[in-house]
Amino acid sequence: MILVTGGAGYIGSHTCVALLQAGYEVLVLDNFCNSKPESLQRVSVITGKSVVLVQGDVRDRSVLREVFKQYVIDGVIHFAGLKAVGESMEQPLRYYDNNVSGSVILAEVMAEFGINMLVFSSSATVYGDPASLPIREDFPLGATNPYGGSKLMVEQIYTDLAQSDGVWRIALLRYFNPVGAHLSGTIGEDPSGIPNNLMPYISQVAVGRREQLTVFGNDYPTVDGTGVRDYIHVMDLAEGHVKALAWLQNQVGVHVFNLGTGHGYSVLEMVKAFEFASGRPVKYQIAPRRAGDIAEVYADSLKAERELGWKAERDIKDMCRDTWNWQKQNPLGYVD
Ligand code: NAD
Ligand code: UFG
């Protein structure tokens, strides 16, 4: 059985689908600070299999101990964390406590129970502003905000841990920009409040929930002046976790992988692709750059292809089609 922390969230719920379909049993530990149990009920409908759900906090040793005592856990995928960059600048201690302390406590309790296989959600944000593109795993690292700092610290902590004791098998997965939804449109990204990220914002404009998109800057040195990112379909990302877990069975040590497509798209290219997929106009206005944003980011994911046998299969049309399918079926997200 695989313990999935934060498994009710956006990437976690899609990964639960991929794990169940690959034949794994799944236990989710989530405190629902940014998700609802409804997502897991829908995971069960999609797969015809159920997930064991424990409501609790990854910083709570007693809950973790109960889980490890009661179930035979073979490995852990650790998604539980806070992820809003702006919020992390206002509440750095909350971010370090949740993301860093949570990751330390999880590993401590895993060690107590002799569980040593761990997949960790890192982020392309650990590369800061890269000197060249595409970004390879051996590029210099640097954080520009507490959220990125928390990811970088956990990477370092898990690297030190793996070096201190050869039994650990740890994959640090650096995601680029996850978008899209399960093909059924029954699970997807459900941000609370005003979305920070581009794709959910675009889809809420298309569905009529927001009036217009604000494009942050059109004076970057990119194809059309707007920011370029490596958007990756969340089901491709989910399948990457399943591949990483299978691969770790025969490894020891700590291993880092970029998970991206290798292609960058600009904000305006995303708007056009979404208008095409949805048949709806996406109104936008150009505004100044957003503080902290960089011009262009895309991954070199050849290491994951070579070692994990993983490659993103879904393209921008699939990403927009599936986001729209989710958005139009669930205009207000998961409602109770
Ligand atoms: P999400 O907020 O949808 O999912 C995170 C889940 O973790 C939520 O269900 C939340 O309730 C839970 N959680 C948070 N803190 C917890 C705690 N202390 N104990 C138990 N549960 C807790 O976010 P997501 O987009 O699915 O991201 C998952 C992971 O991937 C996060 O660690 C995030 O930092 C990382 N990541 C996300 C992106 C992205 O753009 N979505 C990019 C790179 C990395
Ligand atoms: N953008 C807009 N308008 C919006 C939102 C975004 O123009 O309303 C632009 C941004 O300026 C950027 C692009 O769309 O050029 C993508 O922005 P996102 O906020 O969707 O994504 P980021 O690349 O800024 O950051 C995301 C996550 C981070 C993570 C990073 C790398 O939010 O947590 O990807 O994985 F670290």
Side-chain angles (χ1 to χ4, degrees):
M1 179 174 262
I2 304 302
L3 166 62
V4 182
T5 75
Y10 172 46
I11 306 170
S13 56
H14 290 80
T15 302
C16 287
V17 169
L19 286 167
L20 291 165
Q21 288 178 338
Y24 289 97
E25 290 184 297
V26 174
L27 185 150
V28 166
L29 175 71
D30 203 302
N31 65 2
F32 301 115
C33 67
N34 198 36
S35 59
K36 300 202 177 84
E38 174 69 19
S39 63
L40 295 173
Q41 281 157 22
R42 298 188 185 188
V43 165
S44 296
V45 173
I46 293 169
T47 59
K49 296 177 180 178
S50 53
V51 167
V52 178
L53 172 61
V54 175
Q55 180 166 357
D57 197 296
V58 79
R59 290 164 295 182
D60 183 342
R61 285 186 173 78
S62 59
V63 174
L64 288 171
R65 287 186 181 123
E66 271 314 303
V67 165
F68 292 137
K69 255 185 229 157
Q70 236 184 303
Y71 299 92
V72 180
I73 302 294
D74 304 301
V76 179
I77 305 183
H78 180 32
F79 292 110
L82 303 174
K83 63 167 181 177
V85 171
E87 194 181 65
S88 80
M89 296 195 276
E90 288 152 21
Q91 305 171 23
L93 295 179
R94 186 170 157 240
Y95 270 68
Y96 288 121
D97 181 39
N98 201 83
N99 295 5
V100 181
S101 305
S103 300
V104 171
I105 291 167
L106 173 66
E108 279 174 351
V109 183
M110 286 175 69
E112 274 175 43
F113 287 81
I115 299 160
N116 50 43
M117 193 160 69
L118 177 59
V119 177
F120 174 64
S121 296
S122 189
S123 166
T125 196
V126 299
Y127 295 112
D129 195 353
S132 66
L133 294 166
I135 300 174
R136 274 197 328 266
E137 288 85 351
D138 58 0
F139 275 27
L141 304 177
T144 53
N145 56 67
Y147 166 71
S150 74
K151 292 292 175 191
L152 212 47
M153 284 178 197
V154 176
E155 285 202 4
Q156 184 64 54
I157 290 165
Y158 285 168
T159 301
D160 293 342
L161 179 64
Q163 278 163 5
S164 74
D165 185 343
V167 298
W168 285 94
R169 43 192 87 216
I170 301 177
L172 308 174
L173 304 184
R174 294 180 182 152
Y175 315 152
F176 282 67
N177 290 56
V179 296
H182 186 261
L183 189 60
S184 65
T186 57
I187 57 171
E189 187 171 9
D190 181 20
S192 52
I194 301 169
N196 297 310
N197 297 118
L198 179 66
M199 195 61 153
Y201 208 107
I202 289 180
S203 68
Q204 290 192 7
V205 172
V207 86
R209 217 172 131 182
R210 315 246 162 232
E211 206 205 325
Q212 64 178 349
L213 171 74
T214 302
V215 176
F216 297 134
N218 66 349
D219 56 351
Y220 285 107
T222 60
V223 56
D224 57 20
T226 65
V228 168
R229 297 290 181 276
D230 186 338
Y231 297 94
I232 173 169
H233 196 293
V234 67
M235 283 309 301
D236 277 325
L237 200 56
E239 287 158 9
H241 289 73
V242 177
K243 288 268 164 97
L245 206 55
W247 181 84
L248 277 180
Q249 314 264 359
N250 304 312
Q251 306 292 326
V252 285
V254 67
H255 306 270
V256 188
F257 295 101
N258 285 341
L259 297 184
T261 65
H263 303 287
Y265 289 98
S266 75
V267 174
L268 294 181
E269 285 170 336
M270 293 302 283
V271 168
K272 276 205 195 75
F274 202 87
E275 286 181 324
F276 183 78
S278 65
R280 299 270 184 108
V282 175
K283 205 174 145 198
Y284 66 84
Q285 60 166 3
I286 306 290
R289 295 179 179 193
R290 181 169 68 179
D293 273 359
I294 53 182
E296 191 158 1
V297 176
Y298 54 91
D300 179 329
S301 287
L302 288 174
K303 186 179 173 205
E305 186 175 347
R306 214 172 41 240
E307 303 205 21
L308 305 180
W310 172 89
K311 191 172 187 276
E313 303 286 349
R314 296 160 180 90
D315 65 12
I316 185 146
K317 284 193 190 131
D318 303 321
M319 300 179 208
C320 292
R321 177 200 63 209
D322 296 340
T323 302
W324 178 236
N325 198 17
W326 152 254
Q327 184 69 69
K328 72 172 188 247
Q329 287 182 51
N330 304 274
L332 301 175
Y334 296 110
V335 277
D336 296 321

